[in-house]
């Protein structure tokens, strides 16, 4: 299999290394216009291009991996679609919800496999949580509490340009996990973005929201990227209350509580398979990937309606 990887920033370089390590059968070519970033692969036996079109024409790849900054996603995705190439794209589809909807519809109309790299679903503890919930270990879910606490100053230009960077760049992962773990879609949301006093960035790097799901599940979320005290994992700390117990994720470790305290749950036997692995598996089986565009747009919709709720300062209904 041949692949063209477009973008060699932090995420692109990370994907390059993982694919070379875990999928040595894939022949990679790289597209990157920044000479400093190209230098990351100095001495590597990999074809380099500065043009996506040229790379596609010369390499004749089987898939395209889009790891450009979000502002460039659509142009690269559309070019891949023109060549009928399956696309594995970093999140978000774009920073504009309507644009994301258009790209998903375009891939669907042309029947081109299009998957978003939602890696949080693939963590072993996440897969284990899903399995325990499906087995009914805590009965029916009633409420979910998520605390996301990090102190994370960054100089990534695209992040710094966002109005509500926590919501738009990080909480999208948590929204997707809510949908994945509950197996349900959202009905309404009340969200409040804010910039706390003394923040390292004069933008809304903190977020609170209350989300109502189908069947009456209520999710409460407190998120901060300015927290100097307790630090959670990037997935956050979760308390999922059910009719027969509670499932907890604390610093990326699982616990069950059925009235006898928090009992550790061992997730070491769960395979650590990347979302790219799931993408290749879906292609080989001729089916939609787990976070295909049609599914992932529902997670991006929650970001859109959370922003709308913040702007209107009221609870809003979530529509497709």
């Amino acid at each position: 299999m041949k692949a063209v990887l477009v973008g060699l920033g932090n995420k692109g370089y990370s994907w390059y290394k993982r694919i070379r390590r875990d999928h040595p059968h894939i022949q990679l070519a790289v597209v990157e216009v920044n000479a400093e970033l190209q230098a990351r692969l100095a001495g590597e036996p990999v074809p380099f291009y500065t043009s996506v079109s040229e790379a596609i024409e010369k390499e004749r790849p089987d898939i395209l991996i889009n790891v450009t900054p979000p502002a460039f996603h659509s142009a690269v995705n559309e070019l891949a679609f023109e060549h009928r190439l399956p696309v594995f794209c970093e999140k978000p589809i774009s920073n504009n919800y309507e644009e994301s909807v258009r790209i998903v519809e375009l891939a669907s109309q042309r029947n081109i496999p299009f998957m978003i790299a939602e890696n949080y679903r693939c963590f072993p503890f996440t897969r284990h949580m899903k399995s325990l919930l499906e087995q009914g270990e805590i009965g029916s879910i009633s409420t979910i509490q998520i605390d996301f606490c990090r102190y994370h100053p960054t100089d990534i230009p695209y992040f710094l340009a966002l109005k509500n960077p926590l919501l738009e760049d990080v909480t999208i992962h948590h929204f997707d996990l809510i949908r994945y773990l509950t197996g349900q879609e959202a009905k309404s949301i009340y969200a409040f973005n804010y910039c706390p006093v003394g923040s390292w960035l004069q933008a809304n790097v903190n977020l609170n929201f209350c989300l109502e799901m189908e069947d009456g599940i209520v999710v409460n979320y407190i998120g901060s990227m300015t927290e100097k005290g307790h630090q959670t994992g990037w997935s956050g700390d979760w308390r999922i209350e059910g009719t027969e117990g509670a499932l907890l994720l604390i610093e990326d470790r699982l616990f069950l509580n059925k009235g006898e305290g928090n009992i550790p749950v061992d997730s070491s036997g769960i395979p650590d398979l990347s979302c790219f692995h799931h993408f290749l598996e879906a292609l080989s089986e001729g089916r939609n990937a787990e976070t295909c565009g049609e599914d992932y747009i529902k997670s991006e919709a929650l970001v859109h309606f959370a922003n709308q709720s913040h702007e209107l300062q009221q609870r809003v209904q979530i529509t497709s």
Side-chain angles (χ1 to χ4, degrees):
M1 174 178 280
K2 298 182 74 173
V4 167
L5 184 149
V6 187
L8 204 58
N10 291 338
K11 288 184 179 179
Y13 186 46
S14 176
W15 276 117
Y16 174 84
K17 292 187 292 183
R18 182 153 192 170
I19 292 169
R20 287 293 299 271
R21 183 192 71 203
D22 297 345
H23 306 277
H25 65 287
I26 294 179
Q27 300 177 50
L28 275 176
V30 174
V31 179
E32 177 54 64
V33 298
N34 186 318
E36 291 183 8
L37 296 180
Q38 288 180 3
R40 286 178 160 176
L41 299 189
E44 291 275 329
V46 56
F48 254 115
Y49 296 89
T50 57
S51 163
V52 180
S53 297
E54 183 183 5
I56 292 174
E57 293 294 337
K58 290 189 176 180
E59 297 295 330
R60 301 291 180 182
D62 300 293
I63 60 174
L64 184 140
I65 304 163
N66 187 355
V67 208
T68 57
F72 300 97
H73 280 182
S74 291
V76 174
N77 287 334
E78 289 189 80
L79 188 56
F81 296 164
E82 288 175 11
H83 290 82
R84 304 205 61 78
L85 289 175
V87 174
F88 179 77
C89 180
E90 261 296 347
K91 63 86 188 168
I93 300 171
S94 82
N95 282 330
N96 179 279
Y97 175 63
E98 288 76 16
E99 172 67 8
S100 295
V101 170
R102 185 184 70 82
I103 291 296
V104 169
E105 290 177 346
L106 185 60
S108 180
Q109 290 165 4
R110 298 185 181 181
N111 197 30
I112 297 171
F114 178 50
M115 177 179 173
I116 312 306
E118 183 41 76
N119 60 316
Y120 282 39
R121 282 199 190 197
C122 299
F123 296 147
F125 57 78
T126 303
R127 308 307 273 196
H128 201 176
M129 289 172 76
K130 178 69 170 176
S131 175
L132 292 171
L133 292 169
E134 287 182 336
Q135 293 168 20
E137 281 288 346
I138 63 169
S140 299
I141 300 172
S142 55
T143 63
I144 300 176
Q145 173 70 43
I146 305 169
D147 295 310
F148 175 73
C149 303
R150 305 286 299 188
Y151 184 72
H152 189 68
T154 180
D155 59 359
I156 298 174
Y158 121 79
F159 183 92
L160 299 179
L162 297 173
K163 183 177 180 181
N164 301 309
L166 171 56
L167 170 61
E168 295 168 30
D169 189 62
V170 180
T171 304
I172 176 65
H173 290 298
H174 305 139
F175 278 136
D176 193 69
L177 286 180
I178 292 167
R179 293 183 53 246
Y180 173 64
L181 292 172
T182 64
Q184 298 186 17
E185 302 301 339
K187 293 172 57 179
S188 69
I189 188 167
Y190 181 81
F192 174 59
N193 296 285
Y194 66 102
C195 178
V197 174
S199 171
W200 55 268
L201 177 65
Q202 296 307 303
N204 293 324
V205 285
N206 285 23
L207 166 70
N208 292 2
F209 70 71
C210 181
L211 182 69
E212 183 187 7
M213 308 294 289
E214 297 169 340
D215 292 344
I217 296 174
V218 174
V219 183
N220 286 296
Y221 178 96
I222 299 175
S224 170
M225 295 189 78
T226 62
E227 183 68 44
K228 298 182 180 67
H230 174 65
Q231 303 283 293
T232 67
W234 280 98
S235 293
D237 285 354
W238 291 57
R239 187 173 71 251
I240 305 178
E241 294 284 346
T243 54
E244 299 175 22
L247 178 62
L248 300 95
L249 178 67
I250 304 173
E251 296 179 1
D252 294 346
R253 294 178 296 162
L254 282 182
F255 299 86
L256 268 175
N257 191 321
K258 294 189 175 182
E260 299 178 353
N262 294 344
I263 308 300
V265 178
D266 183 11
S267 299
S268 60
I270 308 298
D272 185 9
L273 301 174
S274 72
C275 47
F276 185 72
H277 170 90
H278 292 290
F279 173 65
L280 297 179
E281 192 174 64
L283 286 180
S284 69
E285 296 174 3
R287 58 173 173 79
N288 278 337
E290 190 172 295
T291 52
C292 63
E294 290 93 336
D295 180 86
Y296 199 71
I297 195 65
K298 297 175 184 176
S299 295
E300 281 200 20
L302 299 187
V303 173
H304 170 73
F305 286 106
N307 269 326
Q308 188 178 94
S309 171
H310 169 77
E311 291 170 1
L312 296 174
Q313 298 184 31
Q314 66 184 39
R315 175 183 177 186
V316 299
Q317 299 300 308
I318 295 170
T319 58
S320 57

